[in-house]
Amino acid sequence: MTKRIPTSLLSLCALMALADSNLPQVQFQYDAAGNRISRQLAQPRLFQSPVLQQTTFNVYPTIVSDIINITTQDEIVPDEFSYTITNVSGNIVLSGNVLSQNTQLQVTLPQGYYILNIFSASEQYSFHFLKN
């Protein structure tokens, strides 16, 4: 026995998904009798941290012997950014926090191809490197 979902419920779910999206919303005003008297298009406000909008990382070298350098010209807030290094299988082999504008990571890993991911609350940066 299969159950059918009423189309009105599907329509309601679709409307709720649109309401949560970043699309402009239509707002209506009604008079005391319940008649619609005006319609207005409203843009949703998005929250973005000014730090995240400006932060740019430089990661070097791409062929690593022992040390990876992570630098930025922007101010780093403690515990704002964390990092993980993953191997080609997706396993995390090293992790920690980016603590300053000039961070050096000691890389004691076997030779191979790795991905350095830097995370914040809403952003992710990825850098590829080869351990020599």
Side-chain angles (χ1 to χ4, degrees), residues 28-76:
F28 300 102
Q29 290 183 342
Y30 300 90
D31 64 9
N35 300 314
R36 186 175 3 174
I37 56 174
S38 72
R39 172 177 61 184
Q40 182 178 5
L41 190 63
Q43 285 289 90
R45 292 186 179 180
L46 300 175
F47 173 77
Q48 290 184 345
S49 169
V51 173
L52 296 178
Q53 292 175 353
Q54 300 173 10
T55 305
T56 303
F57 291 100
N58 295 314
V59 176
Y60 59 93
T62 56
I63 299 176
V64 177
S65 294
D66 295 324
I67 294 177
I68 296 177
N69 297 294
I70 302 173
T71 63
T72 182
Q73 297 295 320
D74 303 315
E75 184 177 330
I76 297 292

Side-chain angles (χ1 to χ4, degrees), residues 16-33:
M16 290 174 61
L18 280 177
D20 288 338
S21 71
N22 294 330
L23 298 174
Q25 302 295 314
V26 178
Q27 296 176 340
F28 300 102
Q29 290 183 342
Y30 300 90
D31 64 9

Side-chain angles (χ1 to χ4, degrees), residues 73-115:
Q73 297 295 320
D74 303 315
E75 184 177 330
I76 297 292
V77 177
D79 297 326
E80 177 85 20
F81 296 99
S82 62
Y83 70 86
T84 61
I85 296 178
T86 58
N87 60 16
V88 291
S89 299
N91 299 323
I92 297 175
V93 294
L94 193 62
S95 64
N97 290 324
V98 178
L99 300 174
S100 67
Q101 291 176 322
N102 297 311
T103 301
Q104 290 188 336
L105 303 179
Q106 183 71 32
V107 182
T108 55
L109 299 169
Q111 290 182 351
Y113 183 74
Y114 296 91
I115 301 169

